[in-house]
Short mmCIF file of all heavy atoms in Angstrom, two decimals:
data_model
loop_
_atom_site.label_atom_id
_atom_site.label_comp_id
_atom_site.label_asym_id
_atom_site.label_seq_id
_atom_site.Cartn_x
_atom_site.Cartn_y
_atom_site.Cartn_z
N TYR E 618 -103.81 122.10 -130.47
CA TYR E 618 -105.03 122.78 -130.06
C TYR E 618 -104.72 124.25 -129.82
O TYR E 618 -103.60 124.61 -129.47
CB TYR E 618 -105.55 122.21 -128.74
CG TYR E 618 -106.00 120.77 -128.78
CD1 TYR E 618 -105.11 119.73 -128.50
CD2 TYR E 618 -107.33 120.44 -129.04
CE1 TYR E 618 -105.53 118.41 -128.51
CE2 TYR E 618 -107.75 119.12 -129.06
CZ TYR E 618 -106.85 118.11 -128.78
OH TYR E 618 -107.26 116.81 -128.78
N MET E 624 -113.73 129.24 -124.35
CA MET E 624 -114.01 128.49 -125.58
C MET E 624 -113.51 127.06 -125.54
O MET E 624 -113.69 126.30 -126.48
CB MET E 624 -113.38 129.21 -126.78
CG MET E 624 -113.91 130.61 -126.99
SD MET E 624 -115.63 130.61 -127.45
CE MET E 624 -115.54 129.92 -129.09
N GLY E 625 -112.86 126.67 -124.47
CA GLY E 625 -112.32 125.33 -124.43
C GLY E 625 -111.13 125.18 -125.35
O GLY E 625 -110.47 126.16 -125.72
N LEU E 626 -110.85 123.96 -125.75
CA LEU E 626 -109.74 123.68 -126.66
C LEU E 626 -110.30 123.27 -128.01
O LEU E 626 -111.19 122.42 -128.10
CB LEU E 626 -108.87 122.55 -126.12
CG LEU E 626 -108.05 122.89 -124.88
CD1 LEU E 626 -108.77 122.46 -123.61
CD2 LEU E 626 -106.69 122.21 -124.95
N LYS E 627 -109.77 123.89 -129.04
CA LYS E 627 -110.20 123.59 -130.41
C LYS E 627 -109.04 122.93 -131.16
O LYS E 627 -107.91 123.42 -131.13
CB LYS E 627 -110.61 124.86 -131.14
CG LYS E 627 -111.76 125.62 -130.47
CD LYS E 627 -113.07 124.87 -130.56
CE LYS E 627 -114.21 125.72 -130.03
NZ LYS E 627 -115.51 124.99 -130.04
N GLN E 688 -104.64 111.59 -123.85
CA GLN E 688 -103.77 112.53 -124.53
C GLN E 688 -102.93 113.26 -123.50
O GLN E 688 -103.45 113.74 -122.50
CB GLN E 688 -104.58 113.53 -125.36
CG GLN E 688 -105.28 112.90 -126.56
CD GLN E 688 -105.90 113.91 -127.50
OE1 GLN E 688 -105.59 115.11 -127.44
NE2 GLN E 688 -106.76 113.45 -128.39
N PHE E 690 -100.55 116.40 -122.67
CA PHE E 690 -100.39 117.76 -123.16
C PHE E 690 -99.05 118.36 -122.76
O PHE E 690 -98.52 118.08 -121.68
CB PHE E 690 -101.51 118.65 -122.62
CG PHE E 690 -102.83 118.45 -123.32
CD1 PHE E 690 -103.62 117.36 -123.03
CD2 PHE E 690 -103.24 119.35 -124.28
CE1 PHE E 690 -104.83 117.17 -123.68
CE2 PHE E 690 -104.46 119.17 -124.94
CZ PHE E 690 -105.25 118.08 -124.63
N GLN V 1190 -120.92 118.81 -130.76
CA GLN V 1190 -120.69 119.66 -129.60
C GLN V 1190 -120.76 118.89 -128.30
O GLN V 1190 -121.44 117.87 -128.18
CB GLN V 1190 -121.75 120.77 -129.56
CG GLN V 1190 -121.52 121.89 -130.55
CD GLN V 1190 -122.50 123.02 -130.33
OE1 GLN V 1190 -123.66 122.80 -129.98
NE2 GLN V 1190 -122.06 124.25 -130.53
N VAL V 1191 -120.01 119.42 -127.33
CA VAL V 1191 -120.12 118.98 -125.95
C VAL V 1191 -120.40 120.23 -125.13
O VAL V 1191 -119.59 121.15 -125.12
CB VAL V 1191 -118.83 118.28 -125.47
CG1 VAL V 1191 -118.95 117.91 -124.00
CG2 VAL V 1191 -118.55 117.05 -126.32
N GLN V 1193 -120.97 122.19 -121.65
CA GLN V 1193 -120.52 122.07 -120.26
C GLN V 1193 -121.09 123.20 -119.41
O GLN V 1193 -121.16 124.34 -119.85
CB GLN V 1193 -118.99 122.11 -120.23
CG GLN V 1193 -118.38 121.92 -118.86
CD GLN V 1193 -116.87 121.77 -118.90
OE1 GLN V 1193 -116.28 121.59 -119.97
NE2 GLN V 1193 -116.24 121.86 -117.75
N PRO V 1221 -113.60 111.62 -121.25
CA PRO V 1221 -112.62 111.97 -120.21
C PRO V 1221 -112.89 113.33 -119.59
O PRO V 1221 -113.57 114.19 -120.18
CB PRO V 1221 -111.32 112.02 -121.01
CG PRO V 1221 -111.74 112.52 -122.37
CD PRO V 1221 -113.15 111.97 -122.58
N TYR V 1223 -110.55 116.46 -118.00
CA TYR V 1223 -109.21 116.97 -117.86
C TYR V 1223 -109.20 118.10 -116.83
O TYR V 1223 -110.15 118.88 -116.73
CB TYR V 1223 -108.68 117.48 -119.20
CG TYR V 1223 -108.15 116.38 -120.10
CD1 TYR V 1223 -109.02 115.58 -120.82
CD2 TYR V 1223 -106.79 116.15 -120.19
CE1 TYR V 1223 -108.54 114.57 -121.64
CE2 TYR V 1223 -106.29 115.14 -121.01
CZ TYR V 1223 -107.17 114.35 -121.72
OH TYR V 1223 -106.68 113.34 -122.52
N PRO V 1231 -103.54 120.88 -119.88
CA PRO V 1231 -104.52 119.98 -119.27
C PRO V 1231 -103.91 118.61 -119.00
O PRO V 1231 -103.01 118.17 -119.72
CB PRO V 1231 -105.61 119.89 -120.34
CG PRO V 1231 -105.41 121.07 -121.22
CD PRO V 1231 -103.93 121.33 -121.21
N PHE V 1276 -112.29 120.44 -117.78
CA PHE V 1276 -112.86 120.28 -119.11
C PHE V 1276 -113.40 118.87 -119.26
O PHE V 1276 -112.69 117.90 -118.99
CB PHE V 1276 -111.81 120.50 -120.20
CG PHE V 1276 -111.28 121.90 -120.30
CD1 PHE V 1276 -110.12 122.25 -119.64
CD2 PHE V 1276 -111.96 122.86 -121.03
CE1 PHE V 1276 -109.63 123.55 -119.73
CE2 PHE V 1276 -111.48 124.16 -121.12
CZ PHE V 1276 -110.31 124.50 -120.47
N CYS V 1277 -114.63 118.76 -119.72
CA CYS V 1277 -115.10 117.46 -120.16
C CYS V 1277 -114.78 117.34 -121.65
O CYS V 1277 -114.52 118.33 -122.33
CB CYS V 1277 -116.59 117.29 -119.92
SG CYS V 1277 -117.65 118.45 -120.82
N ALA V 1278 -114.78 116.13 -122.14
CA ALA V 1278 -114.49 115.89 -123.55
C ALA V 1278 -115.17 114.60 -123.98
O ALA V 1278 -115.64 113.81 -123.15
CB ALA V 1278 -112.99 115.82 -123.80
N ALA V 1279 -115.22 114.40 -125.27
CA ALA V 1279 -115.80 113.19 -125.81
C ALA V 1279 -115.08 112.81 -127.09
O ALA V 1279 -114.55 113.67 -127.80
CB ALA V 1279 -117.29 113.37 -126.07
N LEU V 1288 -110.50 114.42 -129.75
CA LEU V 1288 -111.36 114.80 -128.63
C LEU V 1288 -112.12 116.08 -128.96
O LEU V 1288 -111.55 117.01 -129.53
CB LEU V 1288 -110.53 115.02 -127.37
CG LEU V 1288 -109.90 113.78 -126.72
CD1 LEU V 1288 -109.00 114.20 -125.56
CD2 LEU V 1288 -110.98 112.83 -126.24
N ILE V 1289 -113.40 116.13 -128.57
CA ILE V 1289 -114.20 117.33 -128.62
C ILE V 1289 -114.34 117.81 -127.19
O ILE V 1289 -114.86 117.07 -126.34
CB ILE V 1289 -115.59 117.08 -129.22
CG1 ILE V 1289 -115.47 116.39 -130.58
CG2 ILE V 1289 -116.37 118.39 -129.33
CD1 ILE V 1289 -114.77 117.20 -131.64
N PHE V 1290 -113.88 119.03 -126.91
CA PHE V 1290 -113.86 119.52 -125.55
C PHE V 1290 -115.06 120.42 -125.25
O PHE V 1290 -115.55 121.15 -126.11
CB PHE V 1290 -112.59 120.33 -125.29
CG PHE V 1290 -111.36 119.50 -125.06
CD1 PHE V 1290 -110.59 119.08 -126.12
CD2 PHE V 1290 -111.00 119.13 -123.78
CE1 PHE V 1290 -109.46 118.30 -125.91
CE2 PHE V 1290 -109.86 118.35 -123.56
CZ PHE V 1290 -109.10 117.94 -124.62
N GLY V 1291 -115.51 120.37 -124.00
CA GLY V 1291 -116.43 121.36 -123.50
C GLY V 1291 -115.70 122.68 -123.27
O GLY V 1291 -114.48 122.77 -123.43
N THR V 1292 -116.45 123.70 -122.88
CA THR V 1292 -115.88 125.04 -122.76
C THR V 1292 -115.19 125.30 -121.44
O THR V 1292 -114.57 126.35 -121.27
CB THR V 1292 -116.97 126.10 -122.96
OG1 THR V 1292 -118.07 125.79 -122.11
CG2 THR V 1292 -117.45 126.12 -124.41
N GLY V 1293 -115.26 124.36 -120.51
CA GLY V 1293 -114.51 124.49 -119.27
C GLY V 1293 -115.31 125.07 -118.12
O GLY V 1293 -116.23 125.85 -118.31
#
Side-chain angles (χ1 to χ4, degrees):
Chain E
Y618 295 91
M624 299 294 290
L626 291 95
K627 301 291 186 183
Q688 291 189 15
F690 283 78
Chain V
Q1190 284 187 325
V1191 177
Q1193 183 172 348
Y1223 279 79
F1276 293 95
C1277 62
L1288 291 174
I1289 307 297
F1290 282 88
T1292 51

